[in-house]
Amino acid sequence: MYSHGMSTQERLIESTRELLWERGYVGTSPKAILERAGAGQGSMYHHFKGKPDLALTAIRRTAEELRAAAEGALSGPGTPYERIEAYLRRERDALRGCPIGRLTMDPDVVASEELRAPVDETIDWLREQLAGIVEEGKEQGQFAQSLDAEEIAATILATVQGGYVLARAAGSPAAFDTGVRGLLSLLRPPP
Amino acid sequence: MYSHGMSTQERLIESTRELLWERGYVGTSPKAILERAGAGQGSMYHHFKGKPDLALTAIRRTAEELRAAAEGALSGPGTPYERIEAYLRRERDALRGCPIGRLTMDPDVVASEELRAPVDETIDWLREQLAGIVEEGKEQGQFAQSLDAEEIAATILATVQGGYVLARAAGSPAAFDTGVRGLLSLLRPPP
């Protein structure tokens, strides 16, 4: 449960964020949200138009946090390769998966233009950041000229998102790390 | 709906396979299975112990099909690189995602040793096949000796699984292909 200082609206948003991460949109009932938030029956409709509206607010906030965390690793010091490595190796709870990426497996999120938008935008933004860094690496001669920055950026993102799938299938975060090490060995500039 | 020749038991299994792929385990109710199968209320408990038992049968069958399809690409003709390329480029409906991988985002599947087992085994089997091919490629001098076959196999699998996430986020299969092209450009042997 949440601190007494948190408003009902805040508790509803934070509970929804957690439940979306754990159970997805389809698996999250309004009842479960209210229970976790310790909020009364009418409170969801007092603050939000309904479950989709509350979920949209929750997803947007999660997306913002994810961007901030990724930005920290990507805009840090070091060569382009080192910044990509920092992003890939940043502390993650691989068994929990990505709170944004996991929403793509949710039929109701993918079917809704509105709910899918913040997911699409976040992944797009990440891809652009990564493509910019790969491009920099090409200019500095760290990466081969034959590589396409957009494609490599998509491969990096896919390795992260798919790494969660491997980790959750195996029930162990090590499977995530193995995929990341493989990608880093392919990207590593010649000494 | 299904052909008249199909038994109720078969219709239940096939309906469950489709629903698990579309909506996941959490999002699939016994009622929805019965409706899609055109089966009566008692039939699920006549043929199966309940939803988990029916789901396990459905997941096992999907896993077998996936192995057979992957085997076709992986054991085809060509160099190790070409067989990996055939696997990565094999015809897929990227927007539907992987019927096995998507189950890892399902909290009830991951929480159940029994339901997770066929998911884990399938992904493990795929990783071993891919690692064997990478190893072959190293022996033939197609891949650098510095690469670790297990790690590269995990990266290949992660790129596929994460490619589905990118495609579904963007609402376009092209995002899957972009990630695959990036990985292939990193793996491609020098001319």
Side-chain angles (χ1 to χ4, degrees):
Chain A
M1 287 298 158
Y2 303 103
S3 71
H4 283 294
M6 219 186 258
S7 70
T8 305
Q9 188 174 3
E10 272 303 301
R11 293 203 313 274
L12 287 168
I13 296 170
E14 290 303 315
S15 301
T16 305
R17 292 179 62 198
E18 289 176 10
L19 283 163
L20 286 177
W21 197 352
E22 289 165 22
R23 305 190 53 79
Y25 185 85
V26 164
T28 296
S29 65
K31 197 179 152 216
I33 295 170
L34 293 171
E35 266 176 28
R36 188 168 298 201
Q41 269 221 312
S43 65
M44 192 172 99
Y45 288 91
H46 178 73
H47 294 289
F48 301 95
K49 274 176 268 170
K51 180 181 153 184
D53 183 37
L54 171 52
L56 187 59
T57 306
I59 294 171
R60 283 191 181 137
R61 189 178 290 181
T62 299
E64 272 166 36
E65 276 189 13
L66 191 79
R67 280 194 196 204
E71 188 132 47
L74 292 170
S75 65
T79 64
Y81 173 82
E82 283 163 353
R83 283 150 66 201
I84 291 169
E85 184 175 20
Y87 168 72
L88 285 167
R89 291 194 194 272
R90 81 184 177 84
E91 210 182 318
R92 296 168 195 272
D93 189 347
L95 283 180
R96 282 190 85 188
C98 173
I100 290 298
R102 75 101 61 227
L103 294 170
T104 62
M105 292 303 137
D106 214 303
D108 293 0
V109 171
V110 167
S112 155
E113 282 291 324
E114 221 183 349
L115 291 176
R116 189 169 60 81
V119 175
D120 188 20
E121 283 158 21
T122 306
I123 289 184
D124 233 44
W125 175 86
L126 262 167
R127 192 163 30 200
E128 273 169 37
Q129 303 300 307
L130 287 164
I133 297 175
V134 174
E135 201 55 61
E136 250 182 78
K138 283 175 68 177
E139 281 160 20
Q140 297 176 17
Q142 231 190 352
F143 298 133
Q145 288 305 315
S146 58
L147 299 180
D148 179 291
E150 290 286 331
E151 289 177 3
I152 301 301
T155 307
I156 296 169
L157 260 184
T159 302
V160 168
Q161 293 295 333
Y164 292 124
V165 171
L166 304 193
R168 286 173 66 96
S172 154
F176 180 98
D177 301 332
T178 307
V180 160
R181 280 201 306 275
L183 179 62
L184 286 171
S185 69
L186 292 171
L187 285 172
R188 197 165 293 131
Chain B
M1 286 300 158
Y2 301 103
S3 72
H4 283 295
M6 220 186 254
S7 71
T8 304
Q9 189 174 2
E10 272 303 300
R11 293 204 312 275
L12 286 168
I13 297 170
E14 290 302 314
S15 301
T16 304
R17 291 179 62 200
E18 289 175 9
L19 284 163
L20 287 176
W21 197 350
E22 290 164 23
R23 305 190 53 81
Y25 185 85
V26 164
T28 296
S29 65
K31 196 178 152 219
I33 295 171
L34 293 172
E35 266 177 25
R36 187 169 297 204
Q41 270 222 313
S43 65
M44 193 171 100
Y45 288 92
H46 179 72
H47 294 288
F48 301 95
K49 275 176 266 171
K51 179 182 155 185
D53 183 34
L54 171 51
L56 187 59
T57 306
I59 293 171
R60 282 191 181 139
R61 188 177 291 180
T62 298
E64 271 167 38
E65 275 189 14
L66 192 78
R67 280 193 196 205
E71 187 132 48
L74 291 170
S75 66
T79 65
Y81 173 81
E82 283 163 351
R83 283 150 67 201
I84 291 170
E85 185 175 19
Y87 167 72
L88 286 168
R89 291 193 194 273
R90 82 183 176 85
E91 211 182 316
R92 297 168 193 271
D93 189 348
L95 284 178
R96 283 189 85 187
C98 173
I100 291 298
R102 75 101 63 225
L103 293 169
T104 61
M105 292 303 136
D106 214 303
D108 291 1
V109 172
V110 167
S112 155
E113 281 291 324
E114 222 182 351
L115 292 177
R116 188 169 61 79
V119 175
D120 188 19
E121 283 158 21
T122 306
I123 289 183
D124 232 45
W125 176 86
L126 263 167
R127 191 162 31 200
E128 273 169 37
Q129 303 299 306
L130 286 165
I133 296 174
V134 174
E135 200 56 60
E136 251 182 77
K138 283 175 67 176
E139 281 160 19
Q140 297 177 16
Q142 232 189 351
F143 299 133
Q145 289 305 314
S146 59
L147 299 180
D148 178 291
E150 290 286 331
E151 288 177 2
I152 300 301
T155 307
I156 294 169
L157 260 183
T159 302
V160 168
Q161 293 295 331
Y164 293 124
V165 172
L166 303 194
R168 286 173 66 95
S172 156
F176 181 98
D177 301 331
T178 308
V180 161
R181 280 202 305 275
L183 179 61
L184 286 171
S185 69
L186 292 171
L187 285 171
R188 196 165 293 132

